[in-house]
Amino acid sequence: MYRSAGVAMAWNVFRFCTALRGLGSIMILLVLAIVGVTYYAVVLCNYGPALLTGGGTTLAAFAVLLLFHFLLAMLLWSYFSVVFTDPGSVPPNWNLDFDVERGETAPLATSEFSSQMNSQQSVALGNTANPRVRYCRKCNQLKPPRCHHCSVCGRCVLKMDHHCVWVVNCVGALNYKYFLLFLFYTFLETTLVTLSLLPHFIAFFSDVEIPGSPAALATTFLTFVLNLAFSLSVFGFMIMHISLVSANTTTIEAYEKKTTPHWIYDLGRKRNFAQVFGNDKKYWFIPAYSEEDLRRIPALQGLDYPVRPDFDGQEL
């Protein structure tokens, strides 16, 4: 009886994950709707008309609108880069051809590799005697280091961080930087909107007569509240991911390694940062990588990760 209940619960969780796929277009439309309401409130209702007043007000309005449009362009560029970039899939017939246990990239010996491949079935049945071999029972394939299976996408994702319903995609090795930039520009944009609409919000609670139609006033009020809420929540989320990048870990790995005293992929903050953003400073703030970084930093491809030189055989 107890076993049947457990099976039923697992099935319900799986169906819940599958149902999240249907949120795809809805979440993208929701994001665009929030952007549209914000644009209407800031540009059309408040700072656009202020351009026609002349004097210092015009200069201030021009500066706000210039910064607003720049941040909005960067936000949307980063957002759609996360949405449309594959986070990283396991190549067909991928095999583990380097010794991550010893922290070396040299090929395994023939006997070792044959033994490893012959152990796939035993790993699938739950035998984890060889910590280098990781096997996905759902995809029926070996998993590269730092790879995890996503129940929503229904596949293994390289260096998976989490599945984000806001971007309708997994956040993994190939789009993690774009996701961080999306958080960064969202925080800057929502903070700018909050500060620029703060005088208008305060005016709601004063005796001063506020010009504008009721619809424009209501939209301004709603936009201020929405952007304040997003600014505060995204700030906390961004701080969390900054700490993850500094330790060269992911949300999933941070949970898994609670009992691990030393993280084998922690190479120091500078090298950890480079494994996400690259070394070319010109590309740090845009959702793209230089060809040289892609060629010289294997971690950006999601399959090969250097480990700490003092790694002494700790299990993965």
Side-chain angles (χ1 to χ4, degrees):
M1 186 67 180
Y2 175 79
R3 189 172 184 178
S4 299
V7 173
M9 186 173 68
W11 170 250
N12 289 336
V13 171
F14 177 77
R15 292 191 64 179
F16 173 74
C17 292
T18 305
L20 289 178
R21 302 174 192 174
L23 293 177
S25 58
I26 297 176
M27 296 307 296
I28 293 177
L29 291 176
L30 178 59
V31 170
L32 294 179
I34 294 173
V35 170
V37 170
T38 300
Y39 193 92
Y40 176 77
V42 174
V43 178
L44 301 181
C45 294
N46 292 286
Y47 286 90
L51 290 175
L52 305 178
T53 59
T57 303
T58 298
L59 292 177
F62 178 78
V64 169
L65 290 175
L66 184 65
L67 184 57
F68 173 85
H69 282 90
F70 170 75
L71 293 177
L72 180 61
M74 297 305 297
L75 185 158
L76 292 176
W77 184 12
S78 301
Y79 175 73
F80 285 109
S81 294
V82 184
V83 172
F84 293 114
T85 300
D86 191 308
S89 302
V90 181
N93 302 318
W94 179 88
N95 293 322
L96 185 63
D97 58 353
F98 56 91
D99 191 344
V100 295
E101 184 178 352
R102 290 196 297 263
E104 301 171 353
T105 56
L108 298 173
T110 303
S111 59
E112 283 187 297
F113 188 75
S114 299
S115 174
Q116 173 180 287
M117 295 306 297
N118 291 334
S119 67
Q120 288 188 31
Q121 184 64 34
S122 63
V123 173
L125 295 176
N127 180 8
T128 57
N130 186 349
R132 289 175 294 173
V133 180
R134 300 172 65 244
Y135 192 86
C136 180
R137 302 178 185 180
K138 295 180 179 179
C139 296
N140 195 31
Q141 65 181 9
L142 287 173
K143 293 198 296 186
R146 314 186 73 177
C147 178
H148 292 83
H149 185 88
C150 176
S151 297
V152 180
C153 296
R155 63 189 176 100
C156 287
V157 176
L158 301 178
K159 195 186 175 185
M160 178 180 173
D161 186 88
H162 69 289
H163 186 94
C164 181
V165 295
W166 287 99
V167 301
V168 202
N169 198 2
C170 263
V171 177
L174 306 187
N175 64 354
Y176 185 47
K177 173 190 174 182
Y178 309 159
F179 176 75
L180 296 178
L181 290 177
F182 169 58
L183 293 181
F184 177 67
Y185 288 118
T186 298
F187 171 71
L188 293 181
E189 178 79 334
T190 54
T191 300
L192 173 66
V193 173
T194 300
L195 294 177
S196 62
L197 294 183
L198 181 60
H200 303 275
F201 180 78
I202 295 176
F204 279 106
F205 303 97
S206 65
D207 297 330
V208 179
E209 183 177 350
I210 306 174
S213 66
L217 298 179
T219 303
T220 299
F221 187 92
L222 176 62
T223 301
F224 175 85
V225 173
L226 280 177
N227 280 268
L228 176 61
F230 277 115
S231 177
L232 295 176
S233 59
V234 169
F235 177 73
F237 201 45
M238 189 171 61
I239 293 299
M240 183 194 77
H241 278 280
I242 289 175
S243 67
L244 293 177
V245 171
S246 66
N248 197 3
T249 188
T250 65
T251 301
I252 295 177
E253 292 170 343
Y255 175 78
E256 291 180 341
K257 69 184 182 71
K258 285 183 178 180
T259 58
T260 304
H262 302 290
W263 183 233
I264 66 172
Y265 299 111
D266 188 355
L267 308 176
R269 294 182 179 178
K270 184 176 181 180
R271 293 186 63 189
N272 293 344
F273 180 86
Q275 288 201 8
V276 176
F277 286 87
N279 289 317
D280 195 333
K281 297 179 180 179
K282 298 190 298 294
Y283 287 81
W284 281 358
F285 295 99
I286 62 174
Y289 291 103
S290 67
E291 293 184 3
E292 182 178 1
D293 278 345
L294 291 175
R295 184 176 64 255
R296 298 182 61 180
I297 306 178
L300 298 180
Q301 304 294 339
L303 289 171
D304 186 5
Y305 297 95
V307 299
R308 292 168 50 138
D310 59 341
F311 176 50
D312 57 1
Q314 173 188 325
E315 289 191 3
L316 300 179

